[in-house]
């Protein structure tokens, strides 16, 4: 393994205008690890319950994901989220959230993961994100994700996470909420003040912005005729992005821009089918082809008047 | 002149978190013609009333805009819009709209404009847009803009406009509304069925999408620390884009992509100050510099895994 991913492993019941799935594989660590598996050698730290389907384990294993750190808590059921999408598909509506065994989740990083050169802190309590950082050693590149819930309830803890990581990956609404400004460039500048090298602001169907201390990159999303299920798009993005960084071993602007392409491509595959149906069955050639399409559709000829 | 622009000429009273202007120069034809004047030789067809300030005329003349087609209707006052912005600045709130002499505006295209090689049909009643097309002759490239009001009230007339023009330029909400779909690629495909060569979907701060029958281009907007006054951004975009096409004389994909850059740059200058304060005082060097910044911030290195 060269990429440690900590986050939720869940089963989801999802309804969209394109259909419905019940107890499908989900969770931030799951989406991120599958997306990253085309670039890196990911390992998951998370927890599942006594009902977790063997087929889900097999899917993760087929993608070469190291599961030594996946705790199986026989005392209860797996985290289950149930929700639906309608209209413009950018907004998930939650029907029920059963945290189950995830409620008492304490990340235990196996000894063999503690020197992981790349770390993705998925969307969990910022206190747990800090716990993970306290358990790892050596030089590593760390990316953290979060959500509006922690911004409201634990802003000070989250700030401590932002001070410790190399990359803050956050969506536009969350960046505005955390920084109390409507301007995304201003929000990014404030987030950079905590010390990360890069701030990534995800804008869903509008693409992604990458801010460095002295650099800026904007990448549109890939326009899709149909978005079947947006669940996991942000996690797939983060997994693809840090997976690419782990593969490249570089941290310059070019590597980060390529990582944004990798993330965008993985998110675009993710939303084209329910759960991990599409993302788990890709080939390198499919990924290269879609990346080439994205690059072609954003290429600007020289301009001078 | 080589670019005919038909639309509104107005005075605006605008309040934003950054200040307030009263009876400032505004209107779709005004913004578009000033933006286009850095690339082309525009002429306006529009109407103003007995109160139209000589300084506004002088501003337009200084930008080299041909005003032979600007009717002065002494029977009333100039179209006046009053509104404000707050929060994320993407949404204008109208306080009052006084159409005044614009209410009975009938575009009269002067003989010397009738063979204009480029035509921008600004946001006016689609019946008037068709009137303009009936008055012009020869080969020309036509771009039309519109608004949600005409989509609701005159969808069939608007459809006839879309069948007659080369470029449909519309914002994302309007495209969704007209086509009855949430998917912008789907909306673009439906609009292309009416026959235009290109459909441009403007997404405000999220940039612009350019669809051809077999081509696609996505360009992010330029991130600005402060947006002082968003009024006229869409018109400045359209003016910059068709102005660039008029300058280049080309209609291939590269020319259209450069036109999107020109439009994006002009819109970014427009919103940085009230009314036409900034857009009317640019230099070619400022435009080239900002275009270079935009191109640099969207450049993607080769990608292959």
């Amino acid at each position: 393994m060269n990429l440690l991913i900590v986050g939720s492993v869940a089963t989801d019941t999802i309804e969209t205008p394109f259909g419905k799935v019940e107890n499908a594989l989900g969770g931030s660590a799951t989406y991120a690890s599958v997306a990253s598996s085309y670039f890196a050698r990911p390992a998951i730290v998370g927890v599942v319950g006594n009902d977790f389907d063997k087929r889900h384990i097999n899917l993760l294993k087929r993608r070469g994901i190291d599961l030594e750190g996946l705790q199986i808590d026989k005392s209860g059921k797996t985290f289950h989220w149930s929700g639906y999408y309608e209209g413009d598909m950018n907004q998930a509506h939650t029907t029920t959230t059963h945290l189950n065994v995830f409620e008492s989740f304490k990340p235990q990083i196996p000894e063999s993961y503690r020197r992981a050169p790349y770390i993705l802190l998925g969307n969990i309590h910022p206190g747990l994100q800090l716990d993970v950082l306290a358990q790892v050693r050596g030089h590593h590149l760390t990316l953290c994700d979060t959500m509006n819930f922690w911004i409201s309830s634990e802003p000070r803890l989250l700030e401590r996470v932002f001070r410790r990581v190399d990359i803050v990956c956050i969506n536009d609404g969350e960046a505005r909420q955390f920084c109390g400004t409507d301007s995304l460039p201003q929000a990014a500048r404030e987030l950079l003040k905590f010390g990360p090298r890069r701030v990534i602001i995800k804008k869903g169907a509008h693409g992604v912005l990458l801010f460095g201390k002295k650099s800026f990159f904007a990448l549109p999303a890939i326009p899709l005729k149909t978005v079947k299920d947006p669940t996991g798009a942000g996690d797939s993005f983060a997994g693809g992005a840090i997976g690419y960084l782990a593969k490249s071993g570089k941290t310059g602007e070019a590597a980060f821009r390529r990582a944004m392409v990798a993330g965008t491509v993985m998110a675009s595959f993710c939303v084209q089918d329910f759960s991990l149906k599409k993302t788990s069955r890709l080939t390198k050639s499919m990924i290269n082809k879609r990346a080439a399409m994205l690059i072609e559709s954003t290429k600007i000829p020289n301009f001078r008047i």
Side-chain angles (χ1 to χ4, degrees), chain A residues 84-101:
Chain A
Y84 62 97
Y85 300 84
E86 56 187 8
D88 81 352
M89 305 287 276
N90 276 323
Q91 186 62 46
H93 303 278
T94 294
T95 311
T96 56
T97 302
H98 296 296
L99 290 175
N100 298 331
V101 296

Side-chain angles (χ1 to χ4, degrees), chain A residues 71-93:
Chain A
Q71 307 160 29
I72 297 170
D73 181 342
K74 306 241 179 213
S75 72
K77 292 194 168 184
T78 305
F79 177 18
H80 184 265
W81 178 78
S82 175
Y84 62 97
Y85 300 84
E86 56 187 8
D88 81 352
M89 305 287 276
N90 276 323
Q91 186 62 46
H93 303 278

Side-chain angles (χ1 to χ4, degrees), chain A residues 123-127 129-130 144-165 168 170 174 178 191 194:
Chain A
N123 165 30
I124 52 176
H125 191 293
Q129 292 179 319
L130 290 169
C144 78
D145 198 354
T146 190
M147 72 183 291
N148 50 6
F149 181 72
W150 308 121
I151 294 173
S152 312
S153 60
E154 298 287 1
R156 293 290 77 79
L157 270 185
L158 202 53
E159 201 181 299
R160 283 177 58 199
V161 175
F162 292 165
R163 289 187 190 284
R164 296 281 311 275
V165 299
V168 170
I170 191 168
E174 292 158 4
F178 187 83
L191 289 168
F194 294 119

Side-chain angles (χ1 to χ4, degrees), chain A residues 71-283:
Chain A
Q71 307 160 29
I72 297 170
D73 181 342
K74 306 241 179 213
S75 72
K77 292 194 168 184
T78 305
F79 177 18
H80 184 265
W81 178 78
S82 175
Y84 62 97
Y85 300 84
E86 56 187 8
D88 81 352
M89 305 287 276
N90 276 323
Q91 186 62 46
H93 303 278
T94 294
T95 311
T96 56
T97 302
H98 296 296
L99 290 175
N100 298 331
V101 296
F102 191 63
E103 190 156 16
S104 51
F105 173 53
K106 291 267 177 292
Q108 299 295 333
I109 313 299
E111 188 54 39
S112 59
Y113 293 1
R114 296 194 174 197
R115 290 190 180 278
Y118 293 85
I119 300 174
L120 193 167
L121 299 171
N123 165 30
I124 52 176
H125 191 293
L128 298 184
Q129 292 179 319
L130 290 169
D131 272 359
V132 171
L133 291 176
Q135 294 178 58
V136 294
R137 288 191 297 269
H139 291 289
H140 46 252
L141 194 86
T142 319
L143 179 151
C144 78
D145 198 354
T146 190
M147 72 183 291
N148 50 6
F149 181 72
W150 308 121
I151 294 173
S152 312
S153 60
E154 298 287 1
R156 293 290 77 79
L157 270 185
L158 202 53
E159 201 181 299
R160 283 177 58 199
V161 175
F162 292 165
R163 289 187 190 284
R164 296 281 311 275
V165 299
D166 300 288
I167 309 161
V168 170
C169 186
I170 191 168
N171 78 33
D172 48 355
E174 292 158 4
R176 290 194 173 99
Q177 182 191 352
F178 187 83
C179 301
T181 170
D182 283 311
S183 158
L184 294 179
Q186 263 182 28
R189 196 147 9 132
E190 292 194 26
L191 289 168
L192 282 169
K193 280 187 198 155
F194 294 119
R197 299 180 192 200
R198 292 287 195 292
V199 168
I200 299 167
I201 299 184
K202 297 172 287 178
K203 305 194 296 171
H206 296 300
V208 66
L209 306 177
L210 169 70
F211 295 87
K213 298 216 156 52
K214 288 178 178 173
S215 64
F216 170 69
F217 176 58
L219 182 66
I222 296 166
L224 300 167
K225 279 167 244 159
T226 37
V227 170
K228 275 197 181 172
D229 173 15
T231 312
D235 303 312
S236 301
F237 174 88
I242 196 161
Y244 182 84
L245 289 172
K247 179 188 170 66
S248 82
K250 295 177 184 166
T251 55
E253 179 68 14
F256 268 98
R257 290 189 176 197
R258 289 189 178 105
M260 298 302 95
V261 171
T264 298
V265 164
M266 297 315 293
S268 83
F269 282 123
C270 174
V271 303
Q272 288 191 298
D273 209 335
F274 282 90
S275 180
L276 289 134
K277 275 187 196 171
K278 187 144 188 173
T279 327
S280 61
R281 290 178 199 157
L282 301 174
T283 62

